[in-house]
Each structure stands twice: as C-alpha cells, then as structure tokens.
Amino acid sequence: MGRDFKMWLWYKSGQFLRDPSNMHFTTYSTHPFKDQRPGTSGLRKRVEVFRQGNYLKNFVQSVFDTQRELVGGTLVLGGDGRFYNREAIQIILRMAAANGVARVLVGQGGLLSTPAASCVIRKYGAAGGLILSASHNPGGPDGDFGIKYNTANGGPAPEKVTEAIYARTLEITNFRSIDEEDVELDDLGSYQLSETQIEVIDPVADYADLMASIFDFDAIRALLAGGFRIRFDAMHAVTGPYATRILEQTLGAPAGTVINGEPLEDFGGHHPDPNLVHAAELVAMTQGPDGVDFAAASDGDGDRNMILGRDFFVTPSDSLAVLAANATLIPAHRGGIPGVARSMPTSQAVDRVAAAMGIECFETPTGWKFFGNLLDAGRIAFCGEESFGTGSNHVREKDGLWAVLAWLNVLAARGQSVADIVTGHWQQYGRNYYSRHDYEGIKGKAADQLMKDLRARLPQLPGTFLDGLEVGYADDFSYTDPIDGSVSQRQGVRIGFSNGSRIVFRLSGTGTVDATLRVYLESFEPNVASQGLDPQVALAALISTANELAQIQLLTGRAAPDVIT
Ligand code: VG1
Ligand code: CO
C-alpha cells in the first residue's frame, strides 16, 4: 500500500482530526449539503436523504455550533417514534456528549410528543431541545423524517435561529462525536456517556401532571362516568401512551377508548394525519344512532387535533373560536384570557370572539414559531391554526391532547352536545364557512409560476369585481412581530372581498417532494337560517373564483384538489 493511499484511508476515517487536548471526542471531516434550510416546522426530508452520509450529523453539529447555550446546558431529546428515530437518537446522544452538553433528558424508548418536549424543556430549564418528527407525514423506510430545534422557552426556534443554523450547514467542515456504545433507551434511569449525563425519563409523566394542573379533571371524570362516550384515535403514533394514561387510566374512560394506541415505526402504513380522510375509521364511530358523543384524533408527533361530535365535524378554526369563547370554564383560565392569535390563513371566527370579549387578536404567518413571542410576553393565552392546531400558553407548541381535554372540560361544564355548542356559537357570532384545498405533488416550477403570476396581479385587483364580488384588498402577507420587530415577508397571497370573504394562496413549507399548493377559502354568514350548508356548497362561487384567478388547472394540470379539509 502506497503512502498516499494510506494517508487517504486515514483521512477518510476522520481520525486525523482527533483532538489531542480532549480524548473524549473525535472530530470528523464532512462536506456541506445545500438543502438543509428548515421549513415551516424544522428540516423535513425523505428518510433516505437523512440516512445518506453525514446528513443528520451535519445538521446537528450546525445546531451545536450556533446554539452555544447547549454547551454545559441541558438538552431535551425525543421524537415521534417513526422509523430512524432510535438510530438518530443514538447519533445525537454521542454528538451531544462530544459537544459538551452537560445533561440530556431523553424520553423512554426515544419517545416524546412535540408538546411534551416543550413541557419538559420549560419545566427543567433546558437550554433547548431536538425533536425528531415529520409530524403527519408518512413514516417507514420510504417515508419522511424530520428534526427541529426548540429554544429555551420550549418553542420552535424563530427564523433568526433557523437561519443561523442553515447558514452554518452551508459552511460546515467537521462534526464531533464519541466512540461509545448505544445508550439503553428502554429503561428509565441515569447513564453516563463520556462527561454527559443521560437521563431516560418517562415521556408522559410531566405532561400528564401539567394537564391535571390546567383542567377540571373531576368534572371530566364525572362526565365520562355518566355515560358520555368518547374515542381517541392515536393513529399508531406518539399520543397512544399519553392518551391511554390520561383518558383511560386517570380520567376513567373505559379500556378501548384509545384506538390505534401503540406507536409503530410506520404508523401502520397510514398517514398519521388527523383529518376526515385519514381518520375515516374514527369518523365512522361518530356516525348514526350508535355514534359516540365525542371523538378526537392526533397526528404523528401529537401536536395536531381533530374534534368530532356525534355526526359533527368541528372545523379547526371554529374549535379555536369556541374554546376562546368558553375559556373561563377551564380552571387555568378562570380569570379570563388576555388575547388570542391565529395564523393568517385560519378563519376569522376567533376575531369575532376577541372583539366581543374586548381582548387583543393577532394574525401571524403560518407556523407555530410565530406565536412564541406573543405567548412569552403574556399578550395571548390561546392560539391556533386551521391545520388542526390549537394550543395555549401552557407550552410553546400546539397541543393535540390539550385541545381534546379543553373540549371535554367545556363539554362537562356546559352539559351540551358538541353540535349544540358549535351551532349555538354560530348563532351568537355568525358562521365563518371555511375550507382548505390542497393540490399535492405539483411541479415546483408550476407552483412558483402560479404564485409569481398572482403576485404580479395584486396591485390591480383592489376595487375590481371578481364574479360579482368587490376586491377590498389584495396583498402578499407580511408580518412584523409586535414584540421584537422582526419582519417576515411573502407569507401568502391574500385577497379580501368587501363582504368579508377571503381567498388565500400559499405553498406548503413542510413537504418533502415537489410542491403543494394550498388554497384557503372563507366566507361569513351572519344569517342563522343560512348557517347549515355544507361548506363546499356555501363556498362554491369562491372556489371557482380562486381557480380562475390563479389559473390552477392551466398551470398545474389539476382539475380538482387532492385533499379537501
Ligand atoms: C403545515 C400547516 C401549518 C403547520 C405546519 C406544521 O405547514 O399548514 O399550519 O404549522 O404544517 O404542522 P405547511 O407549510 O405545509 O402549510 V405539524 O403538525 O408538522 O408540526
Ligand atoms: Co405535528
């Protein structure tokens, strides 16, 4: 073997960079990947992308390089249990030890729901957390994987942090790790990994305690004991253990209340996406004379929720509005809430509640990270997104089980059915008909062209009539954070009509292949006699206006959306 070849082997092994001043870690050389910019909620890619070369390691090292509070601090680590979760956790543990993290709190089995991770970060004063999830995207070797950094407030890193991490990924030349055995993730306890203390914690306990401190568990227990029938679909994702412990073991719901409760690496081959399409089994349980009184589902990482009554679907935007209107029935909010917030595409139903209550209402870009500052500043207590996301100031993530418990608390306090509460809400505040149409897997070029064309037309639209409706405003949503003044531009094209209807267009920031166009449609109906329509019927004119305006069929070749929610 020639000297040069030996040198090459030695170089490839990465051993050449072993730092003599600290034998506890090894520095390995690496090369940047150009596609590690986090999207709406962290870095999401196909599993095969994450498993190539140093892909995961590069990103994690970029977090350690830029988030220096982790050195000597506590890191929270866990994921939704999807394929590659365990392997990724072992890699991150070794890198955490090599990067001087003092303590890692990792969920048993590598599990932590997104809201539970937020809870644990806050409770134990961690410097930050790494959450491994691609949320509602399918899992398995051919599915998706994801990683997200959350800061010390427990919330998703704001844009300035994700941009710093991304910038680092573009220039990274090496990463640190140690040569140690895997940590035992299935047994609770404390382990030493080099200089770092690894604590394998019960992923449910802290979260369950937090829930008990917020809600009227006695009232919910009495409701369930009185024959109120519920089902919860964990979709073989992370909420199974949480829902079983809280709903069945703590609140006394009968065994079998939680369905699909065992977390599986591939979610049983399904999309762990709580909507009418993917949770069809649950929806069927609410229908007909034997239908249960209340049903709910959550997504892969436990931050989303779908709420159903008997023969009744609660639109997420309405769910936020109803919970805000009934906030004082929840013990933690007995004294009232200071304000609410919703993402821009979410319906304006909650705005009406805020106006009636005389509290502040904020409109933020899509993604939970934009609620963090408002929550930290105490300006809002409830917030939500149309995409089945609802939450409060108890953590800094949206929280599926929180929403379920909030509904059960309100139902117990009011003694009415889900349908009666929501239709009563419409009578009082008016109904915001709402729907989202998703065109998935369209070519990136076509999607960009569509958005570009729309943007170009915006200045001419105000004052014109589209299908008989006068355009009041047309813009590309820009948000200035009221707390730190940071500006986020190009957050979605909005077209508002003078009768209160809206059409919003934006491209998804969570997909992993091609582009997804989201079209959000909303109209307002104050007249009680006209509030009982199917939203697709009520919104029909607006739907065709949207299609024409954006030339959806012409540019994407699609005659109809793939998913309607
Ligand atoms: C989607 C939703 C958005 C949500 C995000 C993360 O983003 O529209 O409201 O915050 O997913 O949710 P996008 O960019 O694809 O529209 V989850 O449950 O992934 O954490
Ligand atoms: Co999610």
Side-chain angles (χ1 to χ4, degrees):
M1 211 167 4
R3 186 174 174 276
D4 281 352
F5 185 60
K6 264 197 219 154
M7 284 292 288
W8 179 81
L9 270 183
W10 179 60
Y11 174 81
K12 287 305 273 185
S13 75
Q15 297 293 326
F16 73 103
L17 280 168
R18 185 182 278 273
D19 183 346
S21 68
N22 184 346
M23 292 307 287
H24 295 299
F25 67 85
T26 309
T27 303
Y28 297 89
S29 76
T30 190
H31 298 287
F33 291 88
K34 295 207 156 45
D35 64 346
Q36 296 197 314
R37 177 182 246 143
T40 313
S41 183
L43 181 68
R44 282 190 198 165
K45 300 284 174 195
R46 310 287 293 187
V47 166
E48 66 196 30
V49 173
F50 267 102
R51 292 174 96 190
Q52 63 176 314
N54 296 328
Y55 197 87
L56 174 69
K57 292 165 186 153
N58 278 15
F59 188 81
V60 171
Q61 187 62 51
S62 298
V63 171
F64 288 131
D65 286 349
T66 53
Q67 309 309 306
R68 301 306 293 164
E69 64 278 6
L70 291 169
V71 178
T74 298
L75 172 76
V76 171
L77 178 62
D80 63 14
R82 67 179 58 224
F83 183 80
Y84 195 53
N85 192 62
R86 281 174 174 267
E87 219 177 301
I89 285 192
Q90 299 292 353
I91 290 170
I92 296 169
L93 287 175
R94 281 190 270 267
M95 291 183 66
N99 279 280
V101 173
R103 185 168 73 137
V104 183
L105 304 177
V106 56
Q108 187 179 21
L111 296 182
L112 271 178
S113 77
T114 289
S118 186
C119 158
V120 172
I121 292 170
R122 295 167 67 77
K123 183 166 176 177
Y124 297 101
L130 283 168
I131 303 175
L132 309 179
S133 172
S135 191
H136 54 290
N137 298 15
D142 301 321
D144 289 343
F145 192 75
I147 181 166
K148 181 170 76 159
Y149 183 65
N150 280 31
T151 50
N153 73 346
E159 274 183 339
K160 63 176 188 300
V161 172
T162 56
E163 282 301 301
I165 295 169
Y166 171 58
R168 181 68 187 162
T169 65
L170 295 176
E171 59 188 27
I172 190 164
T173 56
N174 55 64
F175 68 87
R176 291 175 175 193
S177 190
I178 56 167
D179 306 313
E180 289 285 342
E181 297 284 296
D182 281 1
V183 171
E184 177 54 70
L185 290 178
D186 292 317
D187 299 335
L188 297 178
S190 197
Y191 303 85
Q192 201 66 30
L193 189 64
S194 188
E195 306 291 298
T196 303
Q197 188 193 345
I198 312 288
E199 281 176 41
V200 178
I201 62 168
D202 177 341
V204 179
D206 295 307
Y207 178 83
D209 288 349
L210 179 59
M211 292 301 110
S213 76
I214 295 172
F215 298 110
D216 188 345
F217 270 24
D218 288 337
I220 300 175
R221 226 175 259 126
L223 176 78
L224 298 175
F228 189 86
R229 294 167 62 223
I230 68 170
R231 287 285 182 283
F232 179 87
D233 189 350
M235 305 191 85
H236 285 305
V238 79
T239 48
Y242 294 85
T244 306
R245 180 99 53 100
I246 295 170
L247 298 176
E248 295 186 5
Q249 291 163 11
T250 307
L251 293 169
T257 294
V258 177
I259 62 169
N260 301 318
E262 187 199 347
L264 297 176
E265 285 200 332
D266 67 348
F267 310 119
H270 302 293
H271 287 236
D273 194 353
N275 61 35
L276 295 174
V277 179
H278 293 300
E281 178 192 4
L282 182 76
V283 175
M285 291 177 175
T286 64
Q287 291 168 339
D290 288 335
V292 297
D293 301 297
F294 175 86
S298 190
D299 70 334
D301 61 331
D303 56 359
R304 295 188 177 206
N305 73 92
M306 175 173 68
I307 302 293
L308 303 160
R310 183 183 299 163
D311 287 318
F312 198 89
F313 165 66
V314 185
T315 303
S317 297
D318 278 346
S319 177
L320 172 64
V322 169
L323 290 180
N326 290 280
T328 55
L329 299 177
I330 296 169
H333 302 288
R334 211 139 258 166
I337 53 177
V340 291
R342 61 167 171 83
S343 69
M344 183 272 282
T346 301
S347 101
Q348 298 161 99
V350 74
D351 302 32
R352 299 179 186 282
V353 174
M357 291 166 79
I359 59 173
E360 285 194 289
C361 180
F362 299 88
E363 182 177 45
T364 58
T366 295
W368 210 261
K369 56 183 172 241
F370 294 103
F371 295 133
N373 279 346
L374 294 167
L375 290 163
D376 285 349
R379 296 280 284 273
I380 61 168
F382 284 16
C383 43
E385 296 190 277
E386 50 68 39
S387 53
F388 299 85
T390 330
S392 85
N393 53 0
H394 67 293
V395 289
R396 294 293 179 271
E397 289 278 6
K398 57 185 183 268
D399 188 343
L401 268 167
W402 176 88
V404 172
L405 293 167
W407 267 94
L408 288 173
N409 194 144
V410 168
L411 287 160
R414 293 189 49 160
Q416 291 171 286
S417 71
V418 172
D420 286 348
I421 289 177
V422 178
T423 50
H425 184 94
W426 294 338
Q427 284 167 18
Q428 188 177 348
Y429 297 96
R431 176 173 185 186
N432 290 70
Y433 279 111
Y434 188 80
S435 185
R436 182 174 107 180
H437 289 197
D438 291 336
Y439 297 80
E440 296 177 344
I442 59 179
K443 291 277 158 271
K445 259 192 174 169
D448 291 341
Q449 187 65 46
L450 185 148
M451 292 303 292
K452 199 174 150 216
D453 289 358
L454 269 176
R455 287 192 173 104
R457 293 189 58 185
L458 291 176
Q460 287 91 53
L461 286 177
T464 61
F465 285 80
L466 297 175
D467 265 345
L469 285 183
E470 188 183 3
V471 177
Y473 64 88
D475 62 9
D476 196 348
F477 182 55
S478 166
Y479 178 67
T480 303
D481 187 296
I483 311 300
D484 68 14
S486 60
V487 178
S488 302
Q489 277 165 329
R490 294 162 72 90
Q491 295 295 321
V493 165
R494 320 187 278 186
I495 291 144
F497 298 92
S498 46
N499 69 350
S501 298
R502 283 197 317 168
I503 305 174
V504 173
F505 299 89
R506 62 178 281 281
L507 299 181
S508 161
T510 56
T512 56
V513 234
D514 296 324
T516 294
L517 170 69
R518 304 203 195 285
V519 184
Y520 310 80
L521 306 133
E522 174 182 6
S523 70
F524 181 61
E525 183 52 76
N527 180 0
V528 176
S530 308
Q531 288 176 350
L533 295 178
D534 175 340
Q536 302 309 315
V537 174
L539 295 166
L542 217 50
I543 291 168
S544 77
T545 303
N547 290 349
E548 261 167 57
L549 184 68
Q551 309 250 9
I552 296 176
Q553 189 165 359
L554 186 79
L555 291 170
T556 69
R558 300 292 177 79
D562 300 274
V563 181
I564 295 179
T565 47

